[in-house]
Amino acid sequence: ALDALAPFLSKEQMDYHYNKHHASYYTNLKKLLEGKPETTLPEIIRTAEPGPLFNNAAQAWNHAFFWNCMTPPDKPKKLGAGLGGMIDKDFGSFEKFKQEFTAKAVGVFGSGWCWLTADPGKDGKLEIMPASNADCPLKYGKVPLLVVDVWEHAYYVDYRNARAKFVESFMEHINWDSCHRLFRHAGLAAELMKTD
């Protein structure tokens, strides 16, 4: 429901973000793909050159991913042992991860995203990836686990220009179950997962 995240995000904020901004990326993408062979959003993101096709495909996918990263205030937000162990290993502690993720999200210049990713080429090492505009970790072969949208349209109705306050609130509404499921399905840190 559009009001499910209130008071963190109001119904008005979600209505603009989901029904206007997110919907427009799909509308634009549909026009750009008319008469072209069927494909998937991840495939477009991986192969499209910079420009309207990549931007609209990535923004459609990024937003769909973002919705699953949040949970209503009354739902549990438990970080599983497997992902939690990797966060401790790669960042020193959850608190250090939280501080670094928040700082990098707030520090994105202009519009963009801040991702937590796993790098299969580095034994699943977790990395924080600030990204401008429509950029997406799929383009670089990384596995996205978490993202916060720091385009102004993501928070301006409720937070005006207070991006830091929005990001701090986001950190209290993360759907860790979703992040942990992605981590588990990515086949990362198998030894840690055995006791999960």
Coordinates of all heavy atoms in Angstrom, one line a residue, residues 11 14 22 25 34 37 52 61 66 75 77 80-81 84 107 143 146 166 173-174 177 181 187-188:
K11 N 2.1 8.7 2.1 CA 1.4 8.3 1.0 C 1.6 9.2 -0.2 O 1.8 8.8 -1.4 CB -0.1 8.2 1.3 CG -1.0 7.7 0.2 CD -2.4 7.6 0.6 CE -3.3 7.0 -0.5 NZ -4.7 6.9 -0.1
M14 N 5.1 8.6 -1.7 CA 5.1 7.3 -2.5 C 4.3 7.4 -3.8 O 4.6 6.8 -4.8 CB 4.6 6.2 -1.6 CG 5.6 5.8 -0.5 SD 7.2 5.2 -1.2 CE 6.7 3.8 -2.2
H22 N 8.5 6.4 -11.2 CA 8.8 5.1 -11.6 C 8.0 4.7 -12.9 O 8.5 4.1 -13.8 CB 8.5 4.1 -10.5 CG 9.1 2.7 -10.7 ND1 8.8 1.7 -9.9 CD2 10.0 2.2 -11.6 CE1 9.4 0.6 -10.3 NE2 10.2 0.9 -11.3
Y25 N 9.4 5.8 -16.3 CA 10.6 5.1 -16.9 C 10.0 3.9 -17.7 O 10.6 3.6 -18.8 CB 11.5 4.6 -15.8 CG 12.2 5.7 -15.1 CD1 12.0 5.9 -13.7 CD2 12.9 6.7 -15.7 CE1 12.6 6.9 -13.0 CE2 13.6 7.7 -15.0 CZ 13.4 7.8 -13.7 OH 14.0 8.9 -13.0
E34 N 9.8 -0.4 -28.9 CA 8.8 -0.8 -29.9 C 9.5 -1.3 -31.2 O 10.4 -0.7 -31.7 CB 7.9 0.4 -30.3 CG 6.8 0.7 -29.3 CD 6.0 1.9 -29.6 OE1 6.2 2.5 -30.7 OE2 5.1 2.3 -28.8
P37 N 13.5 -6.8 -30.7 CA 13.4 -8.1 -30.1 C 13.2 -8.1 -28.6 O 13.7 -7.1 -28.0 CB 14.7 -8.8 -30.5 CG 15.3 -8.0 -31.5 CD 14.8 -6.6 -31.4
P52 N 19.3 7.2 -23.6 CA 17.9 7.0 -23.2 C 17.5 5.5 -22.9 O 16.8 5.2 -21.9 CB 17.1 7.5 -24.3 CG 18.0 8.5 -25.0 CD 19.4 7.9 -24.9
W61 N 14.5 -0.7 -13.4 CA 15.0 -1.8 -12.6 C 15.5 -1.3 -11.2 O 15.1 -2.0 -10.2 CB 16.2 -2.5 -13.3 CG 16.5 -3.8 -12.7 CD1 16.0 -5.0 -13.0 CD2 17.5 -4.0 -11.6 NE1 16.6 -6.0 -12.2 CE2 17.5 -5.4 -11.4 CE3 18.3 -3.2 -10.9 CZ2 18.3 -6.0 -10.4 CZ3 19.1 -3.8 -9.9 CH2 19.1 -5.2 -9.7
F66 N 14.7 -1.0 -5.3 CA 14.6 -0.2 -4.2 C 13.4 -0.4 -3.3 O 13.4 -0.5 -2.1 CB 14.6 1.3 -4.6 CG 14.4 2.3 -3.6 CD1 15.2 2.4 -2.5 CD2 13.4 3.3 -3.7 CE1 15.0 3.4 -1.5 CE2 13.2 4.3 -2.7 CZ 14.0 4.3 -1.6
K75 N 7.1 -4.1 10.8 CA 7.6 -5.4 10.4 C 9.0 -5.5 11.0 O 9.8 -4.6 11.1 CB 7.7 -5.5 8.9 CG 6.3 -5.3 8.2 CD 5.4 -6.5 8.4 CE 4.1 -6.3 7.7 NZ 3.0 -7.1 8.1
K77 N 13.0 -6.2 11.3 CA 14.1 -5.8 10.4 C 15.4 -6.5 10.9 O 16.3 -5.9 11.4 CB 14.2 -4.3 10.4 CG 13.0 -3.6 9.8 CD 13.0 -2.1 10.1 CE 12.5 -1.7 11.4 NZ 11.1 -1.9 11.6
G80 N 20.3 -11.2 9.1 CA 20.7 -12.6 9.2 C 22.2 -12.8 9.5 O 23.0 -11.9 9.2
A81 N 22.5 -13.9 10.1 CA 23.9 -14.2 10.5 C 24.9 -14.2 9.3 O 26.0 -13.7 9.4 CB 24.0 -15.5 11.3
G84 N 25.2 -10.7 8.0 CA 25.8 -9.9 9.1 C 27.2 -10.3 9.3 O 28.1 -9.4 9.6
G107 N 26.7 11.7 0.4 CA 27.7 12.4 -0.4 C 27.6 12.3 -1.9 O 28.4 12.9 -2.6
V143 N 26.8 -8.1 -7.7 CA 25.5 -8.5 -7.2 C 24.9 -7.5 -6.3 O 25.5 -7.3 -5.2 CB 25.6 -9.9 -6.5 CG1 24.2 -10.3 -5.9 CG2 26.2 -10.9 -7.4
L146 N 21.5 -4.2 -1.6 CA 20.7 -3.1 -1.0 C 21.0 -1.8 -1.8 O 22.1 -1.6 -2.3 CB 21.3 -3.0 0.5 CG 20.8 -1.8 1.3 CD1 19.3 -2.0 1.6 CD2 21.6 -1.6 2.5
F166 N 16.7 11.8 5.5 CA 16.0 10.7 4.8 C 16.9 9.4 4.8 O 16.3 8.4 5.1 CB 15.8 11.2 3.3 CG 15.5 10.0 2.4 CD1 14.4 9.3 2.5 CD2 16.4 9.7 1.4 CE1 14.1 8.2 1.6 CE2 16.2 8.6 0.5 CZ 15.0 7.9 0.7
H173 N 14.7 1.3 8.3 CA 13.5 0.6 7.6 C 14.0 -0.3 6.5 O 13.3 -0.6 5.6 CB 12.6 1.7 7.0 CG 11.9 2.5 8.0 ND1 12.5 3.6 8.6 CD2 10.7 2.3 8.6 CE1 11.6 4.1 9.5 NE2 10.5 3.4 9.5
I174 N 15.2 -0.8 6.7 CA 15.8 -1.8 5.7 C 15.1 -3.1 5.8 O 15.0 -3.7 6.9 CB 17.3 -1.9 5.8 CG1 18.0 -0.5 5.4 CG2 17.8 -3.0 4.9 CD1 19.5 -0.5 5.7
D177 N 15.6 -9.0 5.4 CA 15.2 -10.4 4.9 C 15.4 -10.4 3.4 O 15.9 -11.4 2.9 CB 13.7 -10.7 5.2 CG 13.5 -11.0 6.7 OD1 14.5 -11.2 7.4 OD2 12.3 -11.0 7.1
R181 N 18.2 -12.7 1.5 CA 17.8 -13.7 0.5 C 18.6 -13.5 -0.8 O 19.1 -14.5 -1.4 CB 16.3 -13.4 0.2 CG 15.6 -14.6 -0.4 CD 14.0 -14.5 -0.2 NE 13.5 -13.2 -0.5 CZ 12.9 -12.4 0.4 NH1 12.8 -12.8 1.6 NH2 12.4 -11.3 0.1
G187 N 24.9 -17.3 -3.7 CA 25.9 -18.3 -3.5 C 27.2 -17.8 -2.8 O 28.2 -18.4 -3.0
L188 N 27.1 -16.7 -2.1 CA 28.2 -16.2 -1.5 C 28.5 -16.6 -0.1 O 27.5 -16.9 0.7 CB 28.1 -14.6 -1.5 CG 27.9 -14.0 -2.9 CD1 27.5 -12.6 -2.8 CD2 29.1 -14.2 -3.7

